[in-house]
Amino acid sequence: MSNNKSHFEKPELSVEELSHALYEVNLKLQEANQKLIAQEKKRLEFYANISHDLRAPITALSNSIEYMLSKQQLSHEEMLDTLSIMQKRTRYMEHLINDIFLLSSLDSSDSKVHKEQVDMRFLLEDYFYLCEADTRYENAKLTLELPDDLQLTMYVDPALIQRVLDNLFTNALKYSKGTPDITLGSYVEKNEFIIYVQDHGVGIAKKHLSKIFDRSYMIEKSRTPDSESSSGFGLSIVKSIVEHHNGTVTCESELEKGSRFIIRLPL
């Protein structure tokens, strides 16, 4: 008769070691759960902000339409004023929707990032000279600071990098006092290509610096339709695009002295 009893093998780990391993796994699960909760909270805040941002211009449009319908006859001046309000709110919603779509597409697994070999000197010079010809900057002092020996080709999405620069330039213009003074510069440091945009505007308080790139964060009432060309998600878009290029973006700022946004892209 054959022996069917299983052969007993002594476990490789002691009870104490197994308990410690389970404890470590439990800690990691708790950390992962906390991260998921934090991400969900940010997601809900993001959608709450979007709802708020859309509600204001839609209400303004609805009120304008009701006003026009309630009047038997509108003067030419009243008509122009009402249509001007409607146009501003419509443009604001267009910018907001476009920014939301861009953020969503960057968040998706099939993100629309099309990288190619790009001459970085040409890209920065081309953007700078376009700004010089842009009427938005006709009263601004623009400065380009590139090393004379800068000859660098990188694998980037040129359209998205230009979008980063445009968002930073728009912010610099928006928060400037008097004559806007904006500088675009770059240099190579160790294994990184540095791009910076600096202004001499109102600056940002230190308590806000660590949060300004969060899409769910608002400084005072920055995401309101007061500006027809700003959705309030500009810095979130900057951060997302830079991270898709394996880079980082930070800000150095001082109230009433200006801000310096620094982009670091690995070579």
Side-chain angles (χ1 to χ4, degrees):
M1 184 174 177
S2 61
N3 186 2
N4 293 324
K5 291 184 179 180
S6 300
H7 179 68
F8 175 77
E9 294 183 0
K10 184 179 179 181
E12 295 181 1
L13 297 175
S14 66
V15 174
E16 290 80 7
E17 290 172 327
L18 285 170
S19 299
H20 181 72
L22 287 171
Y23 175 75
E24 292 291 330
V25 169
N26 188 49
L27 278 181
K28 290 181 179 179
L29 286 173
Q30 288 181 3
E31 290 176 2
N33 188 48
Q34 290 299 321
K35 286 182 180 178
L36 286 173
I37 292 173
Q39 288 174 355
E40 179 65 10
K41 182 181 178 182
K42 286 187 175 182
R43 187 182 69 85
L44 292 175
E45 289 174 350
F46 174 56
Y47 287 117
N49 286 336
I50 292 173
S51 299
H52 170 269
D53 294 344
L54 285 172
R55 191 179 297 116
I58 289 173
T59 300
L61 286 170
S62 178
N63 291 341
S64 298
I65 293 170
E66 288 181 8
Y67 174 74
M68 294 176 72
L69 291 174
S70 67
K71 291 287 185 178
Q72 293 292 333
Q73 188 174 358
L74 286 176
S75 68
H76 183 67
E77 185 178 350
E78 286 178 316
M79 177 73 76
L80 289 179
D81 288 343
T82 306
L83 290 176
S84 177
I85 292 172
M86 296 175 72
Q87 183 185 50
K88 287 180 180 179
R89 298 303 185 254
T90 303
R91 285 179 177 174
Y92 169 78
M93 286 196 294
E94 287 176 348
H95 284 284
L96 178 61
I97 291 168
N98 288 336
D99 282 354
I100 292 170
F101 177 77
L102 178 57
L103 280 170
S104 300
S105 66
L106 289 170
D107 286 345
S108 69
S109 56
D110 186 26
S111 60
K112 307 301 182 183
V113 180
H114 305 289
K115 296 181 180 179
E116 58 186 80
Q117 292 289 337
V118 175
D119 183 329
M120 298 305 292
R121 184 184 195 93
F122 176 80
L123 185 149
L124 295 177
E125 287 181 340
D126 183 57
Y127 178 79
F128 180 80
Y129 295 134
L130 284 174
C131 286
E132 283 195 322
D134 193 327
T135 55
R136 291 181 300 166
Y137 302 99
E138 60 185 355
N139 296 319
K141 176 187 176 185
L142 302 181
T143 305
L144 181 64
E145 296 180 348
L146 302 181
D148 293 335
D149 60 349
L150 178 63
Q151 293 183 350
L152 179 66
T153 301
M154 295 186 69
Y155 197 57
V156 300
D157 185 321
L160 289 181
I161 295 297
Q162 287 183 340
R163 178 61 184 270
V164 166
L165 297 176
D166 199 47
N167 284 6
L168 294 179
F169 262 60
T170 300
N171 262 15
L173 187 65
K174 182 179 179 181
Y175 294 106
S176 291
K177 287 185 176 181
T179 301
D181 188 347
I182 307 170
T183 299
L184 170 63
S186 72
Y187 57 91
V188 176
E189 182 179 82
K190 296 182 179 178
N191 294 321
E192 293 180 321
F193 181 56
I194 315 297
I195 302 172
Y196 59 87
V197 174
Q198 183 169 335
D199 65 67
H200 298 279
V202 298
I204 303 167
K206 288 184 179 180
K207 65 180 181 180
H208 295 302
L209 284 178
S210 63
K211 302 176 181 179
I212 58 174
F213 296 101
D214 295 346
R215 65 186 66 175
S216 61
Y217 188 72
M218 292 188 291
I219 299 176
E220 297 176 350
K221 296 181 180 179
S222 61
R223 294 192 182 123
T224 60
D226 295 335
S227 170
E228 63 185 70
S229 61
S230 174
S231 69
F233 297 119
L235 292 180
S236 301
I237 291 172
V238 167
K239 181 175 183 262
S240 184
I241 292 174
V242 171
E243 288 180 347
H244 272 77
H245 288 80
N246 301 316
T248 59
V249 58
T250 55
C251 178
E252 299 171 353
S253 188
E254 191 173 345
L255 287 175
E256 305 304 325
K257 292 189 177 181
S259 304
R260 182 183 177 98
F261 288 86
I262 304 167
I263 299 163
R264 298 179 179 273
L265 299 175
L267 295 177

